[in-house]
Amino acid sequence: METVDIYTDGSCLGNPGPGGWSFIIRYKNGKIKESSGSKKNTTNNRMELIAAIEAIKYFKKKTKINIYTDSKYLENGITIWIKKWKINNWKTSNKKDVKNSDLWKLLENETKNHFIKWSWVKAHNDDTLNEKADKLAKKAIGI
């Protein structure tokens, strides 16, 4: 089974405002695949989620994926918070609707066919591929 590293990022000009997302896939042989996109009126958190969803959707066969994100919201949401949200019928501990539940459900569905390890990386800390993902997401919205 193939193993890949994926770096994701989302960016927003204003919150909400125009947003961009990106992912970079690094294969074990060193080959790189990049993709990005934008939305007219969105939030940074939605762009972070879409970046991960689009990256995982890229793989049609079961794959071992190491996802690196500088978003604690994304990492904690998919590894910790989502379990309680599902038990609480997509409500927070304060009984409010979970924000971006449409994307959290999509993300969870995409993860089911793969083995995924989520890792947080500090933003703007000289991690080459994280920095490149940040630039691609910003470029997608014209920054």
Side-chain angles (χ1 to χ4, degrees):
M1 181 180 314
E2 183 173 30
T3 301
V4 297
D5 293 330
I6 300 176
Y7 287 76
T8 66
D9 204 5
S11 185
C12 210
L13 206 65
N15 210 14
W21 58 266
S22 72
F23 66 79
I24 300 171
I25 300 168
R26 181 178 55 198
Y27 294 89
K28 290 302 171 195
N29 65 7
K31 182 179 154 194
I32 299 283
K33 162 72 177 157
E34 300 173 357
S35 188
S36 62
S38 64
K39 301 279 183 190
K40 286 188 174 164
N41 190 30
T42 190
T43 65
N44 186 61
N45 284 339
R46 287 188 72 80
M47 292 295 88
E48 295 284 358
L49 285 158
I50 288 173
I53 291 164
E54 292 297 325
I56 297 165
K57 276 174 43 175
Y58 184 78
F59 294 93
K60 306 302 180 211
K61 293 190 294 186
K62 191 176 284 276
T63 306
K64 285 185 182 178
I65 301 172
N66 299 312
I67 294 185
Y68 299 92
T69 177
D70 59 17
S71 169
K72 283 285 192 183
Y73 174 73
L74 174 59
E75 183 205 21
N76 288 335
I78 196 64
T79 62
I80 301 168
W81 304 334
I82 198 166
K83 295 172 186 111
K84 287 224 173 161
W85 291 337
K86 287 171 36 177
I87 290 168
N88 294 331
N89 199 26
W90 294 96
K91 300 282 184 193
T92 66
S93 57
N94 296 333
K95 308 290 185 234
K96 294 182 179 173
D97 290 338
V98 171
K99 289 182 181 173
N100 305 312
S101 63
D102 58 329
L103 295 178
W104 285 114
K105 291 171 186 175
L106 273 174
L107 179 58
E108 183 190 34
N109 191 53
E110 289 300 327
T111 65
K112 289 179 181 176
N113 296 322
H114 305 285
F115 298 103
I116 300 178
K117 179 182 175 200
W118 297 87
S119 297
W120 179 79
V121 294
K122 186 175 169 124
H124 312 293
N125 201 36
D126 296 327
D127 183 308
T128 306
L129 291 180
N130 177 259
E131 293 290 331
K132 190 170 187 183
D134 178 65
K135 286 182 178 131
L136 285 171
K138 288 177 176 165
K139 185 178 178 185
I141 49 174
I143 299 176

